[in-house]
Amino acid sequence: MYRLVCVHCRASFPPDEIVYTCSRCGHLLAVEYDLDALSPDRARMQRTPLSVWRYRDLLPVRIEPVTLQEGGTPLYPLKRLGEEMGLPRLYAKHEGMNPSGSFKDRGMTVGVSMALQLNKKMVACASTGNTSASLAVYAAKAGIPAVVLLPSGKVALGKVAQALIHGAKAITIRGNFDRALEMVHELCLSHGLYLLNSINPFRLEGQKTIGFEVIDQLGGVPDRIVLPVGNAGNISAIHKGLLEYRELGWIDHLPRMTGIQAEGSRPVVDAIERNYPEVIAEPHPETVATAIRIGAPVNAEKALAAIRTTGGAAASVSDAEILRMQRELAAKEGIGVEPASAASVAGVRRLVEMGVIDRDERVVCVVTGHLLKDPETVIRQCEPPREIDADQRSLLSVLGL
Ligand code: F0G
């Protein structure tokens, strides 16, 4: 019912072959279904609870999945922020509400299930943090060992804590994420571990369900989906899913796919702005949003196509804008997200000001990870609580009552 197809030369590979890139030309692979033969049942889907597994007919997993009830995340209208920006139909899809606190769980429930389906005994990834946390969680649930490679000193505390407590073998390297990914890729090819970074096309299958949920929650296609871009897997995944929906005739147009990066780490934005055929890697990416501190996004080829073919856009935001938006989401909307996630909403503000986003557009921001992932960055921005003597008079005095 499906095969792996090279997005560049269209070479195709059987679904049970362990390949991460095209063995003929080296480009990225994608899972391609025979949609006619599959004949997914949309009415039945819509009677199933909102979750990744509602969309099972369009996923490659044929065994009982390794699941912790991922997906089904809230889509919040951003009333106050939307009004301030002059964008009354602005929404946030809060992916921080997944089991491990980020959208990666959608990819990992599918990816780790595929590892079992393909008889793999050990899984691995490189990560800026969330992928490692999620892999650790799903490997624990599956009862198989996981190895995670992290850039030393650049992973938020909550993510490291998760990788450790869920039992992954965590290794930090004296290098950045891009190097960690090269190393783990080589390790997987030489020693048969199953690679679960977003270069793995099965992982992206899980993540495409974000777009499906948005359509089901809104009752239609938004004008634009905006998301933070690091390794560029998520934007590619959502786009791919929506192309399948269009091929099935379930939607008749696509949203404008819009990617936001941090100013110190913006190879995709450069490629879009300057119309490069491919991205030029940034050797020294830097940003407070460590989740997207990535200079050589492996899925760039898919992401550039997603942005270009949908008439989308790309923009970068400064660390100050990211942190300001993190505080505003928390204080004005009650939504707690990590810095990378705030980048998407900060990017919307930028693009409205630039006149790229029209004020009558219905815009969905994907906010990708939970506030508690990176408590240190939060504490650094906030006044510490006032400490007082344990008596009522001191309490009233500090409150000015
Ligand atoms: N937002 C968060 C919170 C992330 O953790 C990531 C990526 C992204 C956005 C970007 O998504 O890579 O698909 O473009 N985190 C990866 C990790 C790289 O290792 O956790 P992308």
Side-chain angles (χ1 to χ4, degrees), residues 180-227:
L181 182 52
E182 281 171 8
M183 287 175 65
V184 79
H185 194 170
E186 196 178 320
L187 173 75
C188 288
L189 293 177
S190 63
H191 286 76
L193 286 78
Y194 193 56
L195 181 63
L196 276 167
N197 279 100
S198 56
I199 196 169
N200 182 319
F202 292 124
R203 220 196 81 190
L204 296 185
E205 290 302 288
Q207 289 174 210
K208 76 185 180 184
T209 60
I210 295 175
F212 299 164
E213 286 191 9
V214 165
I215 288 176
D216 283 347
Q217 287 171 306
L218 281 181
V221 184
D223 297 303
R224 190 180 294 271
I225 296 184
V226 185
L227 59 166

Side-chain angles (χ1 to χ4, degrees), residues 21 155 177 184 202 217 313 319 346 380:
T21 50
V155 178
F177 167 83
V184 79
F202 292 124
Q217 287 171 306
D319 282 0
R380 268 201 303 275

Side-chain angles (χ1 to χ4, degrees), residues 81-121:
L81 282 174
E83 260 166 40
E84 277 177 31
M85 290 183 209
L87 207 60
R89 296 192 299 161
L90 177 63
Y91 297 82
K93 175 91 170 139
H94 195 347
E95 287 295 297
M97 305 298 267
N98 275 296
S100 84
S102 84
F103 71 97
K104 306 286 180 177
D105 297 340
R106 294 180 187 269
M108 287 304 175
T109 183
V110 171
V112 172
S113 298
M114 288 305 293
L116 298 188
Q117 188 167 312
L118 296 167
N119 273 321
K120 302 300 281 187
K121 307 281 183 244

Side-chain angles (χ1 to χ4, degrees), residues 46-60:
Q46 283 175 328
R47 288 192 301 270
T48 311
L50 192 70
S51 90
V52 166
W53 297 99
R54 169 185 274 198
Y55 309 99
R56 192 176 182 142
D57 288 2
L58 293 172
L59 295 173

